[in-house]
Structure formats: structure tokens, C-alpha cells
Amino acid sequence: MHCNIGKQKKGRVFYKRGNKLKTYRPRAMMLKHGAINSSMHDDCQSGSDSMMSQDSDKNTSKHPVNWLDLLQGIEVIVLDIEGTTTPITFVKDVLFPYVTEHLEDYLDDHWEEKKCQDDVRALRDQANLDKDLEGVVTIPEDIQGDSSSSKMSVKEAVMQSIRWLMAADRKVTALKQLQGHMWRSGYKDKTLVAQVYSDVLPAIKQWISDGKKVYIYSSGSVEAQKLLFGHTDNGSLLELFSGYFDTKIGSKVEKESYLKIAAEVGSEPGQILFLTDVTREALPASQAGLKTAIVVRDGNAPLTEDETKSYQQIKSFSELLPDDGEPLEKIQKQ
């Protein structure tokens, strides 16, 4: 049997690594055509350019997922933040405590400002929507010219409402908007410096070099997202991202949100890869037609046995790069 891997055949992807032209047939296509079998493996093992070469075996051991298959046809990569680009501990142990510790002082200092009052109105509206939930704290109207004692009661209700929303881990725009406004001062005085996993920056730069666009989609407000990536331990990363999405486009657990993102970025859903640490976000993204992978990191919630079987997983963004770190040029797909 002669392995003519270099020929351009339907279902194969050709790409350059260094000066060599190499080929790859996506695993799904290989299975469909019966291309994976012991006979082919034995016949092709000795060829230096064979898919089943020792180099390919080494690559497979490095990549728990088939990275080229996952990135095939992808124009856009959408990233979650918490547990994906940034440790959960930074969000839970640094950002959230900053809000609770500085909440009263922030409201005292900014209460009369329009932005703060807009936040209060949004929180009041949210409390009204949540009125039937146990423990919800309603926020009374702050009547213009009312007594200082009345303002204090409104302010106290706002603080209690925020604490209740945070304790319930609510992903609502009203809360995320106020948190973003509070974090701004923390980043400005360098009390807050965002942490980003070491594998994130090299991967994003490589994806951009390969012609892909990278977006952020988080339950945190767009302002909070820009603050985080604008003040990282690697400096500002803002120039790397083509755009940002928050819950204003929709909840991360709703299929329609991902369809809206696809329309916004101008790509078909199947041309978008979404990386997140939770399956309840990956599921609706998959239902919308996006490719997905679960990012498994220390500190993230463990996957169930069924989730492990149902979703592709990566432990590092580096698993979605060529092993030698060289730019990947896809030449032709037929």
C-alpha cells in the first residue's frame, strides 16, 4: 500500500510547518471513510510525512484533543474569563471581596453622581423583578430633597441588595455594572492587578497571527472586562481583542445569546470556537452551532463522568497550537 498523503484530496487540510507541506484529515472524516485502521497504520508508519508517523504520535500524546480538527474552519475564538483565561481564585478571593470591603465607602463618595444613581435604579429594578425570591431586598425610592435619614435607609437597602445578589452568585447586569464601576478605582490605584494564565497570551497572539479574531464573553460587564485585561500582570492586553460581550447580549446559558454573537461578529456559528470552564455554557453554545471545548484548570469545578464523555477538554490553551510553536498556514481544504 502506498500512502500518497501529499495529494490534495477531498476532506483533507494541507498546511505548512517550516519548509514542509503536511496534510491532515479530520478524525471525523477519517472514521467516516474507514481511514483509521491497523493496516493503514502499519503501511504508513515508516513514511516521514505520514499522518501516522512518530512525529504525529508524539503530537497526539501532547494534545488530549485533536487541536487541528477543533480549529478547522474557525475564524473567531470566543473566550470566557473566570476559570478560562483567569484563575477563579482571582475573581472569588480578590475581586469580589474588594466590592464587599469597599462598598459603603464607594456609595458614600459617589452617591450623588449620575453613574451611581443609574446603578441604584438598575438594582432597584432588578429587586422588583426578583420580588418573589426568598431573601430579596427591595430598594425604596430616593425622593429628591428627602431627609438624610431616608437617604441612609435607601443606601443601606442598596448595600443589602448587593450583598444578597453576590451571595446568590447572580449573573445580572445591574450587579455586574456596579461592580465594574467599583473595580475601576481599584485598578487605577494598583490595588487590583488582574491575573492571566501564562498560556493565554502566547496562544492569543498565535491565533491572531493565523488570521483569527478573539473576543471575550463574560457575565461581568464589558467595562469590567476591559478593566481586567487592561491591568494584567502582563500589562494591557486590550489590543488583542476584537470585541467584548456581556449579559446585555443575553444570558450565557441561553442558545440565542450565541446566535446573536455570531451575527455581531459576522461569522457562521460553525466558524466560532467557544472556550469555557462550565458545561452549562458550552451546551447552549453547541446547540447554537458553535464548536466548544471545556477548559479544565486547577480550582475549576470538576466535570461529571457524563460531562467528561460529552465535551472535548483542554488543560491549557497551548494544546490549541502547533507543537513547535510555528505559525500554522492552512493552504487548501478540498
Side-chain angles (χ1 to χ4, degrees):
M1 175 180 178
H2 178 63
C3 291
N4 198 356
I5 302 299
K7 287 187 177 180
Q8 299 174 0
K9 294 184 178 181
K10 187 174 181 180
R12 289 181 176 176
V13 176
F14 291 79
Y15 65 95
K16 277 184 178 177
R17 180 170 295 165
N19 294 322
K20 292 185 177 181
L21 178 63
K22 295 193 175 185
T23 185
Y24 168 80
R25 182 186 287 180
R27 182 173 180 83
M29 184 68 70
M30 294 171 72
L31 289 171
K32 178 179 178 182
H33 293 284
I36 296 180
N37 55 54
S38 58
S39 173
M40 178 179 177
H41 182 276
D42 293 340
D43 289 337
C44 298
Q45 184 69 37
S46 60
S48 61
D49 289 328
S50 169
M51 279 185 296
M52 299 301 180
S53 67
Q54 292 179 357
D55 180 58
S56 293
D57 290 340
K58 182 174 72 172
N59 291 350
T60 301
S61 67
K62 285 187 177 183
H63 294 292
V65 300
N66 199 322
W67 61 274
L68 193 53
D69 195 9
L70 194 58
L71 290 177
Q72 182 188 4
I74 293 299
E75 297 178 351
V76 171
I77 298 177
V78 178
L79 304 175
D80 172 48
I81 295 180
E82 184 180 343
T84 301
T85 66
T86 299
I88 286 179
T89 52
F90 175 71
V91 178
K92 300 293 187 184
D93 299 339
V94 178
L95 289 182
F96 288 174
Y98 180 89
V99 171
T100 55
E101 291 170 11
H102 295 80
L103 182 56
E104 185 172 3
D105 289 341
Y106 175 83
L107 292 176
D108 286 342
D109 294 341
H110 301 278
W111 187 259
E112 301 298 334
E113 298 174 10
K114 181 180 182 302
K115 184 179 289 188
C116 185
Q117 286 302 305
D118 288 344
D119 289 344
V120 170
R121 278 190 289 273
L123 289 163
R124 182 183 293 115
D125 292 342
Q126 185 63 50
N128 290 336
L129 290 173
D130 295 339
K131 62 183 180 181
D132 295 330
L133 298 182
E134 183 179 354
V136 66
V137 180
T138 58
I139 302 173
E141 295 286 342
D142 186 7
I143 302 173
Q144 191 71 24
D146 205 359
S147 66
S148 58
S149 60
S150 176
K151 288 186 177 182
M152 285 297 294
S153 66
V154 173
K155 197 177 297 183
E156 181 62 32
V158 169
M159 289 190 290
Q160 290 181 16
S161 179
I162 291 169
R163 293 184 183 117
W164 178 78
L165 288 168
M166 291 182 66
D169 196 24
R170 295 292 301 281
K171 311 291 188 182
V172 293
T173 300
L175 173 63
K176 298 303 180 180
Q177 183 172 281
L178 178 132
Q179 288 174 329
H181 293 157
M182 289 189 63
W183 289 328
R184 175 175 292 280
S185 59
Y187 284 115
K188 185 176 181 180
D189 64 18
K190 299 185 188 289
T191 300
L192 298 174
V193 178
Q195 300 169 19
V196 175
Y197 288 111
S198 61
D199 55 273
V200 170
L201 182 55
I204 292 177
K205 287 183 175 180
Q206 184 61 62
W207 295 334
I208 293 173
S209 177
D210 290 340
K212 305 182 194 308
K213 293 183 178 180
V214 182
Y215 291 80
I216 296 295
Y217 181 28
S218 173
S219 57
S221 67
V222 167
E223 179 176 10
Q225 296 172 31
K226 290 182 176 180
L227 285 170
L228 188 151
F229 288 109
H231 302 83
T232 78
D233 41 16
N234 288 303
S236 176
L237 309 183
L238 294 177
E239 65 179 12
L240 299 176
F241 301 106
S242 296
Y244 307 83
F245 298 101
D246 59 18
T247 52
K248 288 182 179 179
I249 202 163
S251 168
K252 295 182 74 179
V253 297
E254 296 177 357
K255 170 183 173 182
E256 289 73 17
S257 304
Y258 299 93
L259 293 173
K260 290 178 182 177
I261 288 176
E264 286 285 331
V265 304
S267 293
E268 294 297 321
Q271 296 172 321
I272 303 173
L273 172 64
F274 178 49
L275 300 180
T276 178
D277 65 311
V278 291
T279 58
R280 66 179 179 275
E281 296 172 0
L283 176 59
S286 297
Q287 291 172 339
L290 279 67
K291 288 187 177 181
T292 62
I294 301 297
V295 184
V296 179
R297 305 218 190 241
D298 290 342
N300 289 3
L303 300 179
T304 66
E305 184 177 350
D306 287 342
E307 289 173 333
T308 300
K309 293 177 181 177
S310 301
Y311 296 92
Q312 295 196 77
Q313 302 126 52
I314 61 172
K315 294 183 178 180
S316 169
F317 282 16
S318 63
E319 295 175 26
L320 298 179
L321 297 176
D323 289 314
D324 53 17
E326 294 180 6
L328 176 67
E329 180 185 354
K330 291 183 181 178
I331 297 179
Q332 185 171 358
K333 175 188 172 185
Q334 294 188 342

